[in-house]
Amino acid sequence: MRQHYRLEGLSCANCAAKFEKNIRELPSVQDVQLNFGASKLMVEGEASVMELEQAGAFDGIKVRHEHEKAAPPAPFWKNKEVQSMIFSLPFLLSGWFVLLLSGEESIGAVLLFALSIVIGGWRLLLTGLTNLFKLEFDMKTLMTIAIIGAAVIGEWGEGAVVVFLFAVSEVLERFSMDKARNSIRSLMDIAPQQAAVLRDGEERLVPVEEVEIGEVIVIRPGQKIPLDGVVDNGSSFVNQSAITGESVAVKKEEGDEVFAGTLNEEGALRVRITKWAEDTTLAKIIHLVEEAQAEKAPSQAFVDRFAKYYTPAIMMIALLVAVVPPLAANGLWDEWIYRGLAVLVVGCPCALVISTPVAIVTAIGHAAKRGVLIKGGVHLETAGKITAVAFDKTGTLTKGTPEVRDVRTFSSMDSSELLSYAGAIERYSQHPLGRAIVQAAKDHPLAEADQFESITGKGVQGVIDGKVYWISRADDKTNLTEEMKDTVDEFRKSGSTVMLMGQGEQVLGIIAASDTIREESRSIVQKLYQAGIKKTVMLTGDHALSASSIGKEIGIQQIEAELMPEHKLEIIKRIQRNDGKVAMVGDGINDAPALAMADVGIAMGGAGTDAALETADIALMADDLHQLPETISLSRKTLKIIKQNIAFALGLKVLALLLIIPGWLTLWMAIFADMGATLIVVLNSLRLMKVK
């Protein structure tokens, strides 16, 4: 049996690893997966909540079922660790006051320091001693050895300061992770838990889990939509910022899709439900973001491997510092044991361990709130390293809906009559170009056509007044005059797709239609160059002349046209060989192979396409190209911050270790260096929440 739980009180990455290890050792558990970033647990087996909480008792971890409503968070000052830290402070300050008045031999000062250590660090000491007996060496074990060692050599004041500052460091770490996790918690609270369902002609308020697909729910102005569905009746503006990041409300009418967690602003709507509560777009986003936080980025995997060897190395160095000088050079035992303890304290890998996950979790959560779904730390880091961006044309750089731009006649028909005949023939066509002709002809009285026939890959034909008229691509006809050929070339150079209309062997006229370039495409390409992208490429199956015209107008450097899907793959591989890491931007369906081959696959319009959420590494939920340079900038900023964090975490420790040589490093300075590194790492990572 597989169970999913939410965790409360999970304070640090080391504690998470130990908690997972403890659960794995339970006889009734077959498998366990713990997501530290999302504070989420998956257990395969028959373990009870009580057994799981016993496995996490060392850190006061509380376990609840995934769908069980969480208790409101207690005020910050009610946290046990915070209370212990606060209550120990008066004893610490009093101890130093007595010490200054009565000297180092004062029994009163020692008692006050001992009380400060017990009140502020009894949990730390209990866990550290337990670990020591089990020969498990984590940060709390190192701290415990340092505190006991300080007491043994008479440095009670130093030991008390170490306990207090370590408690401050722990509280800061917990606060930073909670702050980062809140980005997901806020998403989970977006959608209402109840829906007003129409049953037997009456409205009934029922939990969203009990609403069936096909049922109709009522959403009044100012209410949030509880489930995904299609508007069955009514019209309103809906604010979709929770899903897509768009700040402007979108008009929704009968037949339009709406999403759970979005806000109905004006009119009343009746919505027919299309997805179960657990399958809504919002639910998928939350699930994918949590999975993304669980996936370790390359830098995090490196730090984890490094910390695995780093901690034993620090313990060995501390032992050598404490023992070698007294044995080899008649150094004072008290002095060198003290220095060894300082090495132990300053070597704590606390700041190093959280340097990457706090930045990754913050960035992914921040992006999700702005309508960008990044499916893992590895994709976030890779997006920060890309040097080239390849675009699909249709639906990405262009709107994906062609419009008729020009009509030329080569017969007695005028352009109005030609459009009328063409619109009549294309009336039942499902092809985008056919729909563009019908749209252009709607202001003209349509002729009556029958015997409509679509010839795959060739075009369409129909009978009007007993005569067969046809519409086909210009490539399919060879009997064109020089004037017609010149007109076809002229239209193609302007980026249009060219269609011929004729009757029998005679070409009656030429219709030019083109896809409309998105208004933002030109500026977005320029912003990508400003963000550090060296190369842009457009991949399309369109005619070379049409593609060239659109690509040049937008500012794309390399244009590849008349491509089949397998050709797109080859070009992506070539860009990777010649230009480094490449991102592919497409619609997530017909570009799936190229999206998969690229270093980062970026799908447009994730809010309306399940395929986009599944195939891409990053989904731009609002189908908005403005999110692309923003995402790349966020990724690069995250990479920069991760590197800074690692540099701060290691740099401060190296600096503190150098102070040991002249004997300047005290225990309280060592813990202050460790706490300072943790604080810098946390605050530096939280800057990502301010990235616009």
Side-chain angles (χ1 to χ4, degrees), residues 200-507:
D200 302 323
E202 295 181 4
E203 278 186 42
R204 296 185 185 177
L205 205 60
V206 300
V208 289
E209 293 83 11
E210 295 177 15
V211 180
E212 303 283 336
I213 289 176
E215 288 194 295
V216 174
I217 61 173
V218 178
I219 298 104
R220 292 180 171 79
Q223 291 183 339
K224 285 186 176 179
I225 298 169
L227 294 159
D228 285 11
V230 174
V231 177
D232 197 55
N233 184 269
S235 172
S236 181
F237 281 88
V238 175
N239 186 328
Q240 300 189 147
S241 59
I243 301 293
T244 65
E246 296 168 289
S247 56
V248 180
V250 179
K251 189 172 184 182
K252 298 290 183 179
E253 296 176 312
E254 194 173 323
D256 288 340
E257 192 173 12
V258 292
F259 306 106
T262 57
L263 177 66
N264 179 28
E265 291 192 344
E266 293 182 5
L269 293 174
R270 289 191 178 189
V271 173
R272 190 169 297 280
I273 301 308
T274 56
K275 291 179 181 176
W276 304 106
E278 62 267 24
D279 293 330
T280 63
T281 302
L282 179 63
K284 284 185 178 177
I285 291 170
I286 293 167
H287 174 72
L288 288 169
V289 170
E290 289 180 337
E291 292 302 308
Q293 291 180 344
E295 184 182 349
K296 290 187 177 178
S299 57
Q300 187 176 345
F302 160 75
V303 167
D304 288 349
R305 287 196 305 271
F306 182 79
K308 186 179 175 182
Y309 300 104
Y310 169 85
T311 304
I314 283 290
M315 292 192 72
M316 185 56 66
I317 292 169
L319 182 64
L320 292 174
V321 168
V323 173
V324 171
L327 290 177
N330 294 319
L332 295 173
W333 279 99
D334 279 7
E335 180 185 334
W336 285 101
I337 288 173
Y338 180 85
R339 290 186 187 186
L341 293 174
V343 172
L344 211 57
V345 171
V346 82
C348 263
C350 179
L352 184 65
V353 168
I354 68 165
S355 61
T356 302
V358 72
I360 294 288
V361 170
T362 302
I364 288 175
H366 178 59
K369 290 180 78 171
R370 297 179 65 84
V372 178
L373 181 59
I374 303 171
K375 291 167 63 176
V378 62
H379 307 306
L380 181 70
E381 282 201 19
T382 307
K385 298 174 184 175
I386 61 172
T387 54
V389 177
F391 294 93
D392 169 51
K393 179 181 79 70
T394 308
T396 302
L397 294 171
T398 64
K399 292 180 179 177
T401 52
E403 296 176 10
V404 171
R405 295 294 179 196
D406 207 341
V407 178
R408 301 277 176 89
T409 65
F410 295 93
S411 64
S412 58
M413 277 186 174
D414 61 19
S415 58
S416 176
E417 188 179 6
L418 190 78
L419 264 181
S420 172
Y421 274 50
I425 295 167
E426 294 279 15
R427 181 181 289 170
Y428 304 107
S429 171
Q430 295 301 308
H431 195 282
L433 291 171
R435 289 199 293 269
I437 291 172
V438 173
Q439 181 67 20
K442 70 178 183 180
D443 296 329
H444 306 280
L446 292 185
E448 290 295 325
D450 54 21
Q451 298 181 38
F452 171 82
E453 186 181 353
S454 176
I455 305 163
T456 305
K458 295 290 184 182
V460 295
Q461 65 181 39
V463 177
I464 301 175
D465 296 332
K467 295 179 180 177
V468 178
Y469 292 86
W470 49 261
I471 299 173
S472 74
R473 290 171 50 185
D475 298 338
D476 298 331
K477 299 294 176 183
T478 56
N479 59 334
L480 301 182
T481 64
E482 288 302 316
E483 184 184 1
M484 290 177 186
K485 289 177 182 176
D486 291 342
T487 304
V488 169
D489 288 342
E490 176 194 335
F491 285 149
R492 280 180 174 163
K493 283 175 183 174
S494 67
S496 295
T497 300
V498 183
M499 294 165 285
L500 306 180
M501 180 178 162
Q503 190 262 317
E505 293 297 316
Q506 183 186 5
V507 176

Side-chain angles (χ1 to χ4, degrees), residues 563-634:
L563 301 175
M564 297 298 283
E566 60 268 23
H567 298 145
K568 290 184 180 182
L569 283 183
E570 289 303 318
I571 291 167
I572 292 290
K573 288 179 185 174
R574 192 167 72 226
I575 297 170
Q576 287 170 327
R577 284 196 302 269
N578 299 334
D579 301 287
K581 295 192 180 298
V582 59
M584 172 69 192
V585 187
D587 63 12
I589 302 170
N590 58 1
D591 297 306
L595 286 169
M597 176 56 65
D599 296 286
V600 181
I602 303 174
M604 299 285 291
T609 316
D610 285 346
L613 290 176
E614 297 302 326
T615 58
D617 303 317
I618 298 174
L620 309 182
M621 305 301 289
D623 194 24
D624 182 3
L625 274 176
H626 285 105
Q627 293 174 327
L628 181 58
E630 291 171 6
T631 303
I632 289 171
S633 295
L634 175 67

